[in-house]
Amino acid sequence: MAIEAEKAFMLGLGINRVLLDSGSREKLSKDYYWYSPVLEKKLHDKLADGIIQPETDEEVVKVLEIAYAHQMPVTVRGAGTGNYGQAVPLNGGIVLDLSRLDRIVEWGEGWARVQCGVKLGVLEREARVRDRELRIYPSTYMKATVGGFVCGGSGGIGSITWGDLWDGNVLEATVYTMEEQPKKMIVSGDELHAYIHNYGTTGILTELVIPLAPKTEWTQSIVFFDDFMKSMEFSYTLSLDDSIRKRLVSPHEWPIPSFFRPIKKSIRQNQAAVLLETAEGTLPKVTELARSFGGEVGYSIPSEKYRSGIGLSDFGWNHTTLWALKCENNVTYLQAGFSLEHFREQIKLVKDTFQDEVLLHFEWMRSRGKVSPASLPIIRYTTEERLNEIIDFFNKHDIFVANPHTYSLDSGGRGILPLMKQRKLENDPLRLLNPGKID
């Protein structure tokens, strides 16, 4: 379609929120891909022809029907807090902004049914009023939507106890296909694997059922160590100790803690720091365990101040990269899975080889029930070639890398790719849903 015909088509949809001005198209065609200098170069000029913000499932279906008839690409968007260009339209067309589908539909016993545009911070607040809380959520939870997290994320705060999105942390999804007459599907069980971390390529998710945990009063603390490996041994032992309930176990080698400007006065110079959220009443046991590894609790926030200001989870997961970028403009990151059996040797290899070019930051989590050392190392970036050399080194030494410097699910994403590709063929025969993100 010609540009003017596209505009006429979008304005004729009968939907109130159709945005065609350049400012809206520029803003809502972007996400946080700029964490990656590689993606920044590839995606900075990509732009939708129009933004549509439906407020009901019926409006979503109307957009899909007409887009299919005119063979217009549709790229779905939540809050745009993803880091891999998930919400960036590679081929113009429509960005379908679902942030106005933001209603909590129903509360159940240990679950909530929500529209996809509900912000995770809102859901957490409302759940805690009801003596429940989110199981897992990203560090961007105040802005991120439930649908955006399910379709573009994987794990986060709480994953040390509850695992990642594939570990039963999505119970059901309402999905619409991209066909002449879009089908509504209610998906659950293993079939959800076709839609978790799918970047909106296999169907449009408008409603989700999310399991909730009983509310815990959380104490936050930082344990400091002279030696990073001691911080890893402590955090590993803590992660295995089920008598201490945990939401965050996040070790950082120096100088990463120096990037945390809002709590700069509480950071100890030249020391590794382990950021913790543990259940109220566990701090004495945490302190005792820390001492046994040569560490010391040097900062804490009592449970009554949880969520009353900046919290330690605001410095973990990929917020660590954000704070680093505020201090050094030549940094980026990787997503890496170290071996539980060999993480000590792997850490030594990485540090001996790259020294301060690679700064290590781990997030202990459970995956399929097993404790594992996930890492989001900070990379002092020089060239794409050098970045690829580092990735190749990691892979050579059995450190799995989910490459955050590609927008393709095939070459960097997570998820159950064979099932996703099968559903892509079935649900999107013209390949109009976020084209270019999955082969």
Side-chain angles (χ1 to χ4, degrees):
M1 294 176 71
I3 295 296
E4 289 306 316
E6 287 179 347
K7 289 181 178 179
F9 147 67
M10 283 185 272
L11 288 171
L13 282 171
I15 296 173
N16 290 331
R17 299 291 298 180
V18 176
L19 309 177
L20 301 176
D21 62 284
S22 59
S24 296
R25 292 189 297 121
E26 177 70 27
K27 178 182 177 181
L28 297 174
S29 295
K30 309 297 182 188
D31 60 16
Y32 285 26
Y33 66 83
W34 46 265
Y35 273 40
S36 164
V38 177
L39 292 179
E40 168 68 25
K41 185 166 55 177
K42 293 179 179 179
L43 298 178
H44 74 276
D45 61 346
K46 303 300 181 185
L47 203 62
D49 297 307
I51 313 296
I52 299 179
Q53 297 176 319
E55 297 181 345
T56 65
D57 278 30
E58 290 74 21
E59 290 185 342
V60 170
V61 170
K62 181 187 293 188
V63 172
L64 296 179
E65 284 177 342
I66 301 178
Y68 183 91
H70 292 277
Q71 298 190 25
M72 288 188 70
V74 174
T75 302
V76 70
R77 172 189 174 88
T81 59
N83 303 118
Y84 325 118
Q86 300 104 308
V88 177
L90 300 181
N91 301 296
I94 295 166
V95 161
L96 189 64
D97 177 356
L98 299 182
S99 61
R100 289 177 173 261
L101 294 174
D102 60 356
R103 188 166 57 91
I104 299 174
V105 178
E106 182 183 5
W107 295 98
E109 188 63 37
W111 54 266
R113 182 181 299 276
V114 301
Q115 290 185 305
C116 59
V118 170
K119 287 184 169 58
L120 287 157
V122 171
L123 186 56
E124 166 82 349
R125 184 184 68 237
E126 293 298 321
R128 288 181 71 84
V129 169
R130 294 165 173 81
D131 292 322
R132 296 287 185 271
E133 65 185 19
L134 295 174
R135 285 189 180 188
I136 64 171
Y137 55 92
S139 54
T140 54
Y141 77 103
M142 289 304 293
K143 293 182 179 180
T145 64
V146 176
F149 180 43
V150 169
C151 293
S154 55
I157 295 96
S159 286
I160 182 57
T161 297
W162 297 104
D164 57 29
L165 287 168
W166 295 269
D167 286 320
N169 287 305
V170 185
L171 300 179
E172 185 181 286
T174 299
V175 181
Y176 289 94
T177 63
M178 182 53 144
E179 301 175 272
E180 184 176 6
Q181 294 183 324
K183 292 196 294 284
K184 177 181 178 179
M185 303 185 297
I186 307 299
V187 178
S188 60
D190 288 346
E191 183 61 22
L192 284 164
H193 294 168
Y195 304 98
I196 293 174
H197 203 79
N198 73 336
Y199 296 3
T201 61
T202 59
I204 303 297
L205 280 63
T206 62
E207 192 171 283
L208 294 136
V209 179
I210 302 296
L212 302 172
K215 183 176 77 170
T216 298
E217 302 298 340
W218 298 105
T219 296
Q220 301 167 81
S221 59
I222 306 179
V223 185
F224 294 99
F225 292 85
D226 291 331
D227 179 74
F228 179 62
M229 283 311 303
K230 289 181 180 178
S231 80
M232 289 297 295
E233 296 292 354
F234 158 76
S235 56
Y236 173 40
T237 303
L238 176 61
S239 296
L240 292 173
D241 188 347
D242 290 336
S243 73
I244 300 176
R245 191 168 182 83
K246 300 166 288 287
R247 213 176 197 190
L248 180 72
V249 181
S250 179
H252 304 250
E253 77 162 311
W254 185 264
I256 293 175
S258 70
F259 301 149
F260 304 156
R261 289 175 174 173
I263 55 172
K264 186 177 182 179
K265 292 180 180 178
S266 302
I267 295 298
R268 295 188 180 181
Q269 292 294 304
N270 300 309
Q271 292 199 330
V274 182
L275 313 183
L276 300 175
E277 287 188 13
T278 62
E280 184 179 49
T282 60
L283 191 55
K285 194 169 182 179
V286 168
T287 301
E288 181 182 355
L289 181 62
R291 285 174 180 161
S292 72
F293 286 94
E296 184 178 3
V297 175
Y299 178 72
S300 63
I301 304 172
S303 59
E304 59 266 25
K305 292 188 177 180
Y306 194 61
R307 303 293 190 222
S308 63
I310 196 161
L312 296 186
S313 65
D314 293 309
F315 304 101
W317 290 87
N318 220 10
H319 257 61
T320 304
T321 310
L322 181 60
W323 290 109
L325 282 164
K326 290 175 184 287
C327 297
E328 298 184 13
N329 59 12
N330 66 326
V331 299
T332 186
Y333 74 111
L334 291 179
Q335 297 176 145
F338 282 63
S339 162
L340 184 62
E341 293 77 20
H342 304 293
F343 72 86
R344 299 167 185 86
E345 298 92 329
Q346 290 171 330
I347 288 172
K348 186 176 188 305
L349 272 171
V350 169
K351 295 309 298 181
D352 286 349
T353 305
F354 299 107
Q355 300 179 36
D356 283 350
E357 187 180 5
V358 176
L359 302 175
L360 291 175
H361 152 219
F362 283 82
E363 298 288 348
W364 286 96
M365 63 181 293
R366 291 181 187 268
S367 181
R368 314 307 175 264
K370 295 182 178 180
V371 167
S372 62
S375 182
L376 292 95
I378 301 295
I379 310 297
R380 285 181 162 139
Y381 180 81
T382 51
T383 66
E384 184 175 353
E385 291 73 23
R386 179 58 172 169
L387 180 64
N388 288 331
E389 286 177 6
I390 295 170
I391 292 171
D392 289 344
F393 180 91
F394 274 48
N395 286 326
K396 179 181 177 182
H397 293 283
D398 297 322
I399 304 169
F400 168 75
V401 175
N403 189 356
H405 303 282
T406 175
Y407 50 72
S408 169
L409 283 162
D410 296 83
S411 55
R414 298 188 60 186
I416 313 301
L417 277 170
L419 180 60
M420 292 167 70
K421 289 184 175 184
Q422 180 61 36
R423 294 298 174 267
K424 176 74 171 175
L425 287 172
E426 296 168 358
N427 298 345
D428 181 22
L430 298 184
R431 304 186 73 82
L432 295 173
L433 292 179
N434 208 352
K437 304 293 173 64
I438 190 170
D439 290 341

